[in-house]
Amino acid sequence: IDYATRETSYVITASASLLDSNISCLDVSALKCGGVLFSGQVLPSECLSGLMEVAGDPNSSHSLTGTIISLLAQFAAFDGETKEALYNSYNFPGTLAAIIHCNRSTPEEPLVLQCLNVLQCLTYNLRTVNCISHIHELVSFLMQHVQSTNDDILKACLGLMANLCRHDISVQSHIKSQSNVKAFYRALINFLGHNCLTVVVFALSILSSLTLNEEVGQKLFNAKNIHQTFQLIFNITVNGDGTVTRNYAVDLLVDLLKNPKIADFLTKYTHLPVCLSEVLGLLHSKDPDTASKVMELLVSLCSVPVLRKLVCEAVLRPLAPRLQPGTRKAVQTRGSEPSLALIHWEVIGSPLCSSAQSFVELLLQEVLLLIQSPDSLEGDQLLKKHCLRAGRVVNLLLDILTLDSQTFCHYHNMMLVAQRLSPEVCVSQVELLLSYSQDLTGSSCSISNYQLRQVCSWVVLKTLELMSHLRQQMPDMETSFYRILQDQRMVTPLSMALTSSCREHVQIALRILFEAAPLPDFPSHVLGDSIAANNAYRQRDGELSIRSGSSAGEEVSFIGKSFPLIHAEPSETASHSIDSLIEKLQNGVEEKVKDVHMSEIIDVYEQKLSALASKETRLQDLLEAKALALSQADRLIAQYRCQRAQAEAEARKLASLLKDTERRREDLQTELNDQLLEVERLKSDSQQLLEHNGRLQAVADQHQELKSTYNQLLTRTLEEVAEKERQIKALKTDVLEKTRNIADLQNELRRYKEQLQEMEENIAILRKELNKTEQARKDVSIKASSLELQKSQLEVKVEKLEEELSKHTHMIAMIHSLSSGKLKGDTTANLSL
């Protein structure tokens, strides 16, 4: 693509317009062109630059611009390297900021919201580049629209502002210099009571970045409010609206912990153990981003010495078993996954070491599966992924082996690793990485291949260090260890580590070299030549960087680090010189040096030839870098011309703005006079506000006393709740017994109901008989009344008869008295009868 011709840009725009109707249907995840587009080659780079130019052109249609942004955003989601390339090398954020600036008058436009969302994802956890065009206009736009009624725009503006403010002093200074910064602070403080947790955490993150060390921040994060802030952050972390909200909450707490005063406040936070337990529960989620953020938070907490013990206890403390309802087997309330994930920490050397042994056994079963060499590692990405994973596993095993070397825990851990790790696993790992490292050395001389060789070499050395620790416990491991040290391929990882700028790499390489140097077949001469070649390459690279000290040179150096170089074949002159050198060597050996062994001389010259080939490769790299620098310089010149035209247009625009500003200054002077009068009136109002603040302070003190009382009541309440729970357990047992009794009573009730039914039937029969009996009773009563009447009549008659009888008896007695005495007794008896 030739930027010097106007027709080419028309072709790009026309082609993109033709694709506008179909490109939105593409699924970039199905395309495998990411490696080609971001390989640093000329045509793909120019293609991406052309897309950036079309997207940033104000004359492009919104649909076309949105389609291009969606396409590039999908590429940015592939991996971190692609995202970084779009961010730094192609200035994708600058293009998005320019689009927002061109459409600042229509913030409700879907394109603006799309750019804000992509910018938020793109700038997360990346430092802002100050040279991004329209960065100040973008910040002003965000400050203006944080009070938008549209929730989507509100979240996007606050999230992007949180990214820009974090760790960027220039953006923070620009915001603080704005005239409406106090109104901006008030708006952010009002957002702390918003019903959306995402908005709350965004606002709190911005406030912490801008005001933590100022008067506003001291009032906001003082001792009275900080405990509520901690509770809010932990609630958002555990119950957030999604992964994004949780990530920002964790980042906020990590930033706050860097302040010693706030870290001290957190150590005094009474609910921290409960909050920490809830956070550890997130590790059971299958989301790797959530687990990564939880680990980041725990590592940050461990940076505070007082909190490290609390974190250690929460992770390693054995959990009390509980009984599941309906079973007799004790189960754990929470699995051991947090311990398996976090046992890497050095805090395992604390007094809780003995309680962590069971977790070490479980951990080894998991991590040793990750160090197994895969069947195939086709592709640099798979190889890099395997190297990074294997490196972390080896680091973890080394940490377990080197903790508390004078204690029984160390010996026990050593035996556990020796029992479960076989020498074949380590040997296969080293052989695999050495073979791939050799293949990378013989392939194209690119920066990506060089970096991948560095990663492979680092994992090889770490694996050898692990084998060195275990060689006394495993005889086979010692034999394999010494055999690998005498391998010719070990020259590459050792030389790269010894010439590295990393202190740890050099120290490990020296330890390995100390073990390997006494061995008879160790290639020390080849190692020396390789180290010298690396040093020479570094020296020439440094000289080249010094000579190219201009801005264009800096850009070329950066591009050279980001993208691979084009591989060039060795020149014919070099090949001819090597052939002639070999021919002279053979002739000289045959004629002059007949008393020296041919093999020894050939070995010496082979080593020298390998060193010369290495130097020649380095020179080829320098030449290719220079060629790439020249092409990049041409591109920078074209970009400079374009930027110069834009600068002239902006200068004309600034001139017109200056005139408008002058006229506005005159208007503001008039308004200032009016404001002075308003200030006088406000002074009296401020006096009243001071008196009101005094009353509020008294209320605040009373609130603090009530708060302490509340904490005491809460503690007592918790104790009562525990007591109630014990009572509830006892009541549950009583309920079970009463349930069984109720079942028996129900059976008896059922029988009583059946008997009652039978009795009711009998009662019905008896009622019928009772009715009959009642009727008979009435008849008998009537007869009885008539008999009573007859009785009374008979009694009257009887009384008359008795009177007559008594008369007769008296007469009889008189008669008898007159008769003889012999008959007196019989007569009396008869009369009585």
Side-chain angles (χ1 to χ4, degrees):
I1 300 175
D2 185 7
Y3 280 97
T5 59
R6 185 181 301 273
E7 290 79 4
T8 304
S9 62
Y10 291 158
V11 170
I12 295 175
T13 306
S15 301
S17 299
L18 289 174
L19 292 174
D20 185 22
S21 60
N22 296 324
I23 196 172
S24 60
C25 299
L26 292 176
D27 183 7
V28 181
S29 62
L31 301 178
K32 298 183 178 179
C33 56
V36 177
L37 288 174
F38 299 95
S39 62
Q41 299 179 12
V42 178
L43 289 180
S45 300
E46 296 297 338
C47 178
L48 290 172
S49 300
L51 288 176
M52 295 287 185
E53 184 177 352
V54 173
D57 189 356
N59 298 323
S60 300
S61 65
H62 285 186
S63 60
L64 175 59
T65 303
T67 302
I68 295 176
I69 292 174
S70 299
L71 181 67
L72 296 177
Q74 292 184 55
F75 280 123
F78 277 163
D79 51 43
E81 294 180 357
T82 304
K83 177 182 177 180
E84 186 176 356
L86 284 173
Y87 189 91
N88 294 321
S89 302
Y90 295 98
N91 194 16
F92 190 25
T95 302
L96 297 174
I99 295 173
I100 295 174
H101 179 67
C102 293
N103 297 274
R104 62 187 181 278
S105 59
T106 57
E108 303 293 334
E109 187 72 27
L111 180 61
V112 176
L113 179 60
Q114 182 186 13
C115 292
L116 290 173
N117 289 327
V118 175
L119 261 178
Q120 180 187 352
C121 298
L122 200 63
T123 57
Y124 177 70
N125 266 353
L126 290 178
R127 292 186 178 272
T128 307
V129 180
N130 295 327
C131 61
I132 292 179
S133 59
H134 305 289
I135 183 65
H136 290 168
E137 291 84 353
L138 176 61
V139 172
S140 301
F141 176 86
L142 297 176
M143 293 179 65
Q144 181 182 357
H145 292 88
V146 292
Q147 296 185 5
S148 174
T149 57
N150 189 330
D151 290 341
D152 294 334
I153 294 179
L154 173 62
K155 291 181 182 179
C157 290
L158 288 175
L160 180 55
M161 180 68 81
N163 293 345
L164 297 178
C165 292
R166 192 185 184 201
H167 306 315
D168 198 313
I169 300 177
S170 62
V171 174
Q172 296 174 9
S173 302
H174 177 71
I175 294 174
K176 295 175 184 178
S177 64
Q178 298 298 308
S179 59
N180 61 339
V181 64
K182 292 185 178 180
F184 179 61
Y185 286 165
R186 285 194 297 269
L188 292 176
I189 293 174
N190 291 333
F191 285 141
L192 297 182
H194 201 274
N195 56 2
C196 179
L197 295 180
T198 306
V199 174
V200 174
V201 73
F202 285 163
L204 200 57
S205 177
I206 298 171
L207 286 171
S208 66
S209 299
L210 296 176
T211 67
L212 186 59
N213 298 320
E214 296 183 357
E215 183 179 359
V216 177
Q218 292 175 1
K219 293 180 180 179
L220 187 62
F221 299 100
N222 58 13
K224 296 180 180 180
N225 300 329
I226 193 63
H227 288 182
Q228 297 177 1
T229 304
F230 288 150
Q231 188 63 48
L232 177 63
I233 293 175
F234 280 114
N235 286 340
I236 294 175
T237 303
V238 177
N239 305 315
D241 297 337
T243 304
V244 174
T245 306
R246 182 178 296 111
N247 291 349
Y248 278 87
V250 172
D251 293 339
L252 172 60
L253 188 55
V254 169
D255 293 342
L256 290 177
L257 284 176
K258 296 178 182 178
N259 188 308
K261 186 176 181 181
I262 295 181
D264 183 62
F265 287 151
L266 185 60
T267 60
K268 301 175 183 177
Y269 181 49
T270 56
H271 300 295
L272 181 59
V274 179
C275 296
L276 188 58
S277 177
E278 294 293 331
V279 171
L280 286 174
L282 295 175
L283 289 175
H284 301 288
S285 173
K286 296 182 180 179
D287 184 12
D289 296 333
T290 300
S292 175
K293 274 298 173 183
V294 171
M295 293 180 185
E296 182 180 348
L297 174 59
L298 295 178
V299 171
S300 179
L301 291 173
C302 287
S303 63
V304 182
V306 180
L307 297 178
R308 188 180 300 124
K309 182 179 179 181
L310 177 63
V311 175
C312 180
E313 291 176 353
V315 174
L316 302 179
R317 184 192 303 117
L319 299 175
R322 62 178 175 85
L323 289 176
Q324 290 281 11
T327 64
R328 294 186 177 181
K329 299 181 70 175
V331 298
Q332 294 289 346
T333 57
R334 179 166 56 87
S336 58
E337 286 81 0
S339 302
L340 292 177
L342 306 176
I343 200 170
H344 187 179
W345 300 341
E346 293 180 3
V347 294
I348 196 174
S350 67
L352 294 176
C353 178
S354 59
S355 65
Q357 295 305 318
S358 60
F359 299 129
V360 175
E361 297 178 6
L362 295 175
L363 177 67
L364 291 176
Q365 298 176 4
E366 300 294 332
V367 299
L368 291 180
L369 297 176
L370 302 177
I371 203 175
Q372 299 289 340
S373 300
D375 297 334
S376 175
L377 287 176
E378 297 181 359
D380 294 347
Q381 292 296 330
L382 292 178
L383 178 59
K384 183 176 180 181
K385 182 178 179 181
H386 172 72
C387 289
L388 294 176
R389 183 177 62 186
R392 294 190 185 98
V393 172
V394 174
N395 278 333
L396 176 59
L397 294 175
L398 287 173
D399 287 340
I400 294 175
L401 294 177
T402 55
L403 289 174
D404 283 348
S405 58
Q406 303 300 325
T407 63
F408 175 76
C409 295
H410 167 75
Y411 177 76
H412 183 71
N413 292 341
M414 182 79 72
M415 296 306 298
L416 285 176
V417 177
Q419 290 173 3
R420 287 166 174 78
L421 181 64
S422 62
E424 291 76 11
V425 174
C426 297
V427 172
S428 63
Q429 183 76 22
V430 174
E431 290 287 344
L432 177 70
L433 295 180
L434 286 178
S435 62
Y436 275 103
S437 181
Q438 288 296 109
D439 295 340
L440 292 172
T441 304
S443 61
S444 61
C445 301
S446 61
I447 298 298
S448 61
N449 284 347
Y450 179 75
Q451 294 175 350
L452 189 54
R453 280 162 49 199
Q454 282 185 325
V455 176
C456 292
S457 301
W458 173 240
V459 178
V460 167
L461 294 180
K462 295 295 288 187
T463 307
L464 287 175
E465 186 179 17
L466 177 64
M467 296 173 68
S468 177
H469 280 283
L470 296 174
R471 58 180 174 168
Q472 299 298 331
Q473 283 72 27
M474 307 170 66
D476 295 338
M477 184 73 79
E478 185 176 12
T479 304
S480 303
F481 175 69
Y482 287 123
R483 185 178 70 253
I484 293 174
L485 289 181
Q486 300 179 79
D487 195 328
Q488 294 283 339
R489 295 174 296 178
M490 281 300 300
V491 171
T492 299
L494 285 174
S495 62
M496 295 183 73
L498 289 171
T499 57
S500 173
S501 59
C502 180
R503 181 180 305 174
E504 184 183 1
H505 291 196
V506 177
Q507 292 175 350
I508 292 180
L510 288 175
R511 289 198 293 268
I512 300 299
L513 182 61
F514 179 78
E515 298 285 346
L519 299 177
D521 295 333
F522 179 70
S524 56
H525 295 288
V526 181
L527 177 61
D529 293 339
S530 179
I531 293 175
N534 287 340
N535 291 334
Y537 173 73
R538 288 178 178 275
Q539 182 179 0
R540 292 190 182 92
D541 191 18
E543 293 174 356
L544 180 62
S545 300
I546 293 174
R547 287 196 299 269
S548 58
S550 62
S551 60
E554 293 175 358
E555 181 69 21
V556 170
S557 177
F558 180 78
I559 295 297
K561 293 178 181 178
S562 301
F563 299 104
L565 303 175
I566 302 175
H567 177 61
E569 296 294 333
S571 60
E572 296 180 358
T573 305
S575 301
H576 179 70
S577 62
I578 293 174
D579 294 337
S580 63
L581 181 61
I582 295 174
E583 184 178 358
K584 290 179 181 180
L585 174 63
Q586 293 175 349
N587 295 333
V589 169
E590 293 175 356
E591 296 175 359
K592 299 179 181 179
V593 198
K594 296 182 179 180
D595 56 343
V596 181
H597 294 290
M598 176 69 71
S599 61
E600 296 179 358
I601 297 176
I602 291 176
D603 289 340
V604 172
Y605 277 95
E606 282 181 351
Q607 295 174 2
K608 292 184 178 180
L609 287 175
S610 64
L612 290 174
S614 177
K615 293 180 181 178
E616 182 183 8
T617 302
R618 300 293 186 268
L619 291 175
Q620 290 174 1
D621 292 343
L622 293 176
L623 290 175
E624 292 167 0
K626 186 175 181 181
L628 183 61
L630 291 175
S631 63
Q632 186 67 25
D634 295 337
R635 180 185 173 193
L636 290 175
I637 291 172
Q639 292 180 353
Y640 168 74
R641 291 173 181 173
C642 180
Q643 293 176 357
R644 181 178 178 181
Q646 294 178 355
E648 292 176 354
E650 291 180 358
R652 290 191 295 269
K653 181 179 179 181
L654 289 174
S656 61
L657 290 175
L658 181 60
K659 294 179 181 179
D660 296 339
T661 303
E662 187 65 25
R663 288 192 298 268
R664 187 178 180 187
R665 186 191 63 80
E666 296 174 357
D667 297 336
L668 291 176
Q669 184 64 36
T670 304
E671 294 181 3
L672 179 61
N673 296 330
D674 298 335
Q675 293 294 333
L676 290 176
L677 297 176
E678 183 68 21
V679 167
E680 295 297 331
R681 291 192 295 270
L682 290 176
K683 284 183 179 180
S684 60
D685 295 340
S686 63
Q687 185 63 29
Q688 298 176 359
L689 288 175
L690 289 175
E691 297 175 357
H692 182 64
N693 286 337
R695 294 190 295 270
L696 290 178
Q697 184 63 35
V699 174
D701 295 338
Q702 185 180 3
H703 171 72
Q704 186 65 24
E705 296 177 359
L706 292 174
K707 186 177 179 180
S708 61
T709 306
Y710 165 75
N711 291 332
Q712 296 175 0
L713 291 175
L714 180 61
T715 304
R716 188 166 59 196
T717 302
L718 293 176
E719 294 175 355
E720 292 177 355
V721 168
E723 182 63 27
K724 294 296 184 182
E725 288 180 352
R726 289 192 293 270
Q727 294 178 1
I728 288 172
K729 290 181 180 179
L731 290 175
K732 285 183 177 178
T733 305
D734 295 341
V735 167
L736 292 176
E737 294 178 359
K738 291 182 179 181
T739 302
R740 290 192 292 269
N741 295 335
I742 288 172
D744 297 336
L745 292 174
Q746 286 177 348
N747 294 330
E748 293 181 3
L749 180 61
R750 192 176 301 109
R751 291 194 299 270
Y752 288 153
K753 286 182 178 180
E754 293 175 356
Q755 294 176 2
L756 180 61
Q757 185 176 2
E758 293 178 358
M759 293 176 68
E760 287 178 351
E761 293 176 356
N762 295 332
I763 288 172
I765 296 171
L766 292 174
R767 282 178 178 173
K768 293 180 181 179
E769 294 178 356
L770 181 61
N771 292 333
K772 295 179 180 179
T773 305
E774 185 67 21
Q775 185 64 34
R777 186 189 63 78
K778 290 180 180 180
D779 297 340
V780 171
S781 178
I782 295 171
K783 292 179 180 180
S785 60
S786 63
L787 292 174
E788 286 290 335
L789 180 60
Q790 294 176 4
K791 177 183 176 183
S792 60
Q793 294 175 357
L794 289 174
E795 287 178 351
V796 174
K797 291 180 180 181
V798 169
E799 289 178 356
K800 292 179 179 180
L801 291 175
E802 285 179 354
E803 291 178 356
E804 292 178 357
L805 181 61
S806 62
K807 292 178 180 180
H808 293 161
T809 303
H810 184 67
M811 292 174 65
I812 292 172
M814 293 175 63
I815 294 172
H816 282 288
S817 65
L818 297 177
S819 65
S820 60
K822 295 180 181 180
L823 298 176
K824 183 177 181 179
D826 298 331
T827 304
T828 304
N830 291 329
L831 290 175
S832 300
L833 180 61

